[in-house]
Amino acid sequence: MGEGFLRAYHALPDPLRAIPVFVRGWQLRRWRYGAETESLVEAALERETWSAGRWRAWSEERLAYVLHRAATRVPYYREYWSARRRRGDRASWERIEHWPVLEKEAVRARPQAFVADDCAPSRMFRLSTSGTTGTPLKIFESRATVRARYALFEARCRRWHGVTSRDRWAVLGGQLVVPVSQRRPPFWVWNAPLRQLYMSSYHLAPDTVAAYLDAWVRYGVVYVEGYTSALYVLAQEALRLERFVPSLRLALTNAEPVYPYQREAIVRAFAAAVRETYGMAEMVAAASECEAGTLHAWPEVGWVELVADPDASDGTGELVCTSLLNADMPLVRYRVGDRASLAPPGAACPCGRGLPVFHRLEGRSDDILVLPDGRRVGRLDPVFKADLPIREAQVVQETVWDVRVRVVAAPGFEDEHAEAIARRLRDRLGEVRVMVERVPELPRSANGKFRAVVSRVSGGQGAGAGPARGGGGA
């Protein structure tokens, strides 16, 4: 959503905001669902009965197709293999180990070069994301890919837990559905085509939580999806107020992992099952939690490799993944930025499904911002949109009124881009003081990670968490 459109949308009276939301919801529904959706869902559920050997055979066949398509139809890779051939390198592109590791910067710099030449980017669905590092990325998907992705979400995030796309649900996300200066409800908008109550994660405060819970009851919300940190804040206040939502059955977390203390609070507050999801806009890996508490990988989405860490004694390695679902913008051996370990192939889960299992999944650990009016804000990825020439960014809260943004700039970064970052932050945080500082690099921990959000304010440390996660349902 462009800034000009967003400001025009915010200028509308509350009832009229439902009109552009309805139009957008209708567009998204046409992209996500079609006559084939139910058969795609049933096929996904049937594949969960496959043995480890059958999954291996299917994945190897699909990988061979994707590698051939990437080498022959994708401009970036065609150029890469042509250059190798000119140097006399005869290595086969059919072997995954002959491909280089792909860094985010290469995709950020030339996103359309990764789109197959028999596809038209202008007719594809485009996702813009800042990823887990503040580095803007653009991802393109065909309609068939979008529908396959949402069929997997329907099967493994909804159907596993007794809900469907026909149920009313709420989302606590990063879209600015109302201006941050608005201090009276509604802090949400109803998206009728998707049966979705989209709620602002930027307005959560002790004096607003009751309005959020009232809205869940009024709209008959059956399940909720949202940032773990936002759901945890909501749960804490619901417990303090002794307010409950009897219709709520399920809480799906995304964008952040769930720590035990957060899960316990959400369950106590809402008496609903809490299920974790994992994914990213680049769509090279995905996973969701079953009723037994196991995080199952979705093999259809990506081929997963672990780059071994010689210092790790628990088998944890860096995730390097290859697109299998999105063969029209295939990213081969893409460095995700997260670390994981996999259970042995065929490891049994009490749920009985034959899907692979993430034994361990770890990534960055972020704080949340504590604001003067009591609001607590976690993920700020939407600030760093794909129109900004930056490589990485970090938000540091010095006081409740002062926020510093450290930016590793890409060529072309000007004062106007720093002003856009400050403006977007104030749009979400309110009238805080924002300083944008250009730095050559960001501080990293021993494992090479950095925290995208750092709070030096009491109550903000350690409240957010981990690798970018999400099943793509919003």
Side-chain angles (χ1 to χ4, degrees):
M1 184 184 296
E3 289 189 59
F5 179 86
L6 183 64
R7 297 194 185 283
Y9 162 80
H10 282 168
L12 295 171
D14 286 334
L16 294 184
R17 290 179 191 152
I19 297 174
V21 170
F22 182 94
V23 173
R24 182 57 175 163
W26 178 78
Q27 292 171 335
L28 290 175
R29 185 165 188 85
R30 289 191 64 192
W31 269 97
R32 295 176 182 181
Y33 308 108
E36 72 277 32
T37 292
E38 189 57 32
S39 62
L40 290 173
V41 171
E42 291 174 357
L45 293 171
E46 189 277 330
R47 287 193 296 272
E48 294 165 10
T49 66
W50 287 4
S51 66
R54 188 173 180 186
W55 269 120
R56 183 76 183 180
W58 181 92
S59 298
E60 289 177 348
E61 182 178 350
R62 181 67 177 177
L63 178 66
Y65 165 76
V66 169
L67 294 183
H68 180 79
R69 179 166 172 76
T72 59
R73 303 307 300 260
V74 175
Y76 179 90
Y77 290 119
R78 195 164 53 214
E79 294 167 11
Y80 169 80
W81 283 103
S82 293
R84 287 182 67 165
R85 294 293 182 257
R86 288 194 298 271
R87 296 194 301 268
D89 186 339
R90 310 313 298 175
S92 172
W93 64 51
E94 295 178 356
R95 298 176 65 91
I96 187 71
E97 62 268 26
H98 292 168
W99 292 70
V101 171
L102 176 65
E103 305 292 348
K104 291 177 185 286
E105 176 61 21
V107 184
R108 187 202 68 79
R110 298 176 61 200
Q112 294 196 24
F114 289 88
V115 178
D117 58 14
D118 56 356
C119 299
S122 62
R123 300 181 64 183
M124 301 175 78
F125 189 83
R126 188 178 75 177
L127 289 168
S128 294
T129 175
S130 65
T132 61
T133 64
T135 306
L137 291 168
K138 292 180 182 177
I139 304 297
F140 296 88
E141 302 174 331
S142 68
R143 188 180 298 270
T145 298
V146 172
R147 290 184 174 178
R149 174 162 61 95
Y150 276 89
L152 289 172
F153 182 85
E154 177 75 12
R156 296 181 186 156
C157 292
R158 291 183 175 127
R159 301 285 177 93
W160 280 9
H161 309 299
V163 299
T164 75
S165 60
R166 294 183 294 275
D167 290 309
R168 292 180 167 227
W169 59 308
V171 170
L172 279 163
Q175 295 291 340
L176 278 169
V177 292
V178 298
V180 74
S181 58
Q182 184 171 316
R183 299 307 302 154
R184 297 179 62 183
F187 306 117
W188 50 81
V189 66
W190 176 245
N191 184 337
L194 294 178
R195 303 180 69 79
Q196 176 196 79
L197 186 66
Y198 198 105
M199 313 188 86
S200 168
S201 63
Y202 301 111
H203 289 76
L204 281 172
D207 62 338
T208 64
V209 163
Y212 280 76
L213 301 178
D214 287 343
W216 283 5
V217 173
R218 185 163 63 254
Y219 284 89
V221 168
V222 174
Y223 66 102
V224 60
E225 179 187 13
Y227 300 157
T228 307
S229 54
L231 287 169
Y232 176 60
V233 169
L234 196 58
Q236 285 181 304
E237 292 303 316
L239 288 169
R240 181 181 65 84
L241 297 170
E242 297 185 349
R243 292 287 309 276
F244 304 98
V245 183
S247 63
L248 197 69
R249 305 208 307 261
L250 173 68
L252 294 170
T253 69
N254 65 24
E256 302 157 347
V258 188
Y259 291 125
Y261 71 91
Q262 294 171 318
R263 186 186 298 269
E264 189 269 340
I266 297 168
V267 170
R268 278 203 301 127
F270 305 124
V274 177
R275 300 299 177 218
E276 188 174 1
T277 63
Y278 174 76
M280 67 288 298
E282 298 95 310
M283 212 187 345
V284 294
S288 56
E289 184 182 354
C290 72
E291 63 272 21
T294 301
L295 196 62
H296 289 279
W298 299 0
E300 303 96 330
V301 171
W303 177 273
V304 175
E305 298 177 74
L306 296 181
V307 178
D309 182 348
D311 297 325
S313 59
D314 59 357
T316 302
E318 187 176 17
L319 277 175
V320 172
C321 304
T322 298
S323 312
L324 294 185
L325 190 67
N326 189 2
D328 297 320
M329 187 181 177
L331 305 180
V332 179
R333 304 199 78 201
Y334 180 75
R335 193 190 306 276
V336 173
D338 297 333
R339 295 166 55 80
S341 62
L342 291 167
C349 175
C351 75
R353 298 179 179 94
L355 296 171
V357 171
F358 277 115
H359 177 65
R360 184 180 180 88
L361 192 57
E362 58 187 48
R364 39 183 199 99
S365 179
D366 294 343
D367 296 342
I368 64 173
L369 305 189
V370 179
L371 301 176
D373 57 7
R375 290 181 296 125
R376 303 175 76 194
V377 175
R379 293 183 66 84
L380 290 165
D381 292 1
V383 169
F384 305 104
K385 298 178 182 177
D387 58 343
L388 293 175
I390 63 175
R391 292 194 169 93
E392 293 179 330
Q394 181 184 59
V395 177
V396 181
Q397 184 177 34
E398 309 282 3
T399 73
V400 293
W401 290 105
D402 297 280
V403 175
R404 181 184 304 273
V405 184
R406 295 170 174 162
V407 172
V408 180
F413 188 89
E414 304 289 349
D415 289 346
E416 65 190 71
H417 299 114
E419 292 166 3
I421 291 171
R423 183 173 61 252
R424 291 171 185 176
L425 269 174
R426 284 192 292 268
D427 282 345
R428 289 158 174 82
L429 305 180
E431 290 306 313
V432 297
R433 291 181 288 268
V434 180
M435 176 182 291
V436 179
E437 174 187 8
R438 294 181 63 165
V439 297
E441 61 183 13
L442 292 172
R444 280 172 156 76
S445 63
N447 66 1
K449 297 283 186 177
F450 76 92
R451 287 152 62 197
V453 178
V454 176
S455 176
R456 293 173 179 160
V457 176
S458 176
Q461 296 87 357
R469 303 187 176 200

